[in-house]
Amino acid sequence: MSILRGGLVFLALVQAVQGGWPLFAPQGFYDNFPLPSNPWVAYFPPFNEHLLRDFGALNLALCAVFVFAAVTMERRLVQAALAGYLVFAVPHLVFHLNHLSHMPFADQVGNVVSLTAVVLIPLALLLLTRKVPVAAAAL
């Protein structure tokens, strides 16, 4: 169960960074994510402050769900958090797999590796939920 909890905490941290940064500094996120020398978001102009702040807030909301799941370790909540995340992560990966040509090769590799990892990690964690006991239903 510690691997599952650790995976949930890792995903929560990723969402915290990808949420807080664009919510509180949207131009900085646009210009510098993931690094100033590799501005992946800026490869998709134009800058849209509203969209980036919404993206940040939604990522922080998902971070909160991951934190709650990691604290309670209630199987259905953990499964819902991971499934909900995959609803975002899979189409996000598919989009980027089809839009790599305008990026330098190193950024293409980094983009595919990182986005594939954040699909495979929750899939692996979902398999581990089979070992989590179902919490007793509240009466």
Side-chain angles (χ1 to χ4, degrees):
M1 180 146 37
S2 62
I3 293 173
L4 180 55
R5 179 173 276 134
L8 291 168
V9 169
F10 170 76
L11 291 171
L13 290 172
V14 169
Q15 295 313 112
V17 170
Q18 289 186 340
W21 190 1
L23 179 61
F24 299 111
Q27 186 70 59
F29 181 83
Y30 178 83
D31 292 336
N32 299 299
F33 180 84
L35 299 167
S37 59
N38 305 80
W40 293 354
V41 180
Y43 289 141
F44 295 93
F47 170 74
N48 184 320
E49 180 180 356
H50 174 219
L51 183 61
L52 283 172
R53 286 186 189 272
D54 285 355
F55 171 77
L58 285 168
N59 278 300
L60 286 179
L62 190 49
C63 172
V65 174
F66 278 135
V67 168
F68 196 83
V71 168
T72 65
M73 291 303 293
E74 197 283 317
R75 182 168 65 178
R76 289 188 180 132
L77 175 58
V78 170
Q79 291 170 332
L82 294 168
Y85 179 77
L86 286 168
V87 168
F88 161 75
V90 171
H92 189 214
L93 170 62
V94 170
F95 174 86
H96 283 284
L97 289 175
N98 289 297
H99 296 88
L100 293 169
S101 61
H102 63 287
M103 300 172 83
F105 181 72
D107 290 327
Q108 291 178 16
V109 171
N111 198 278
V112 170
V113 168
S114 62
L115 294 177
T116 300
V118 294
V119 168
L120 295 178
I121 290 169
L123 285 173
L125 295 174
L126 270 173
L127 293 175
L128 294 177
T129 63
R130 295 179 298 163
K131 297 179 182 179
V132 175
V134 177
L139 298 176

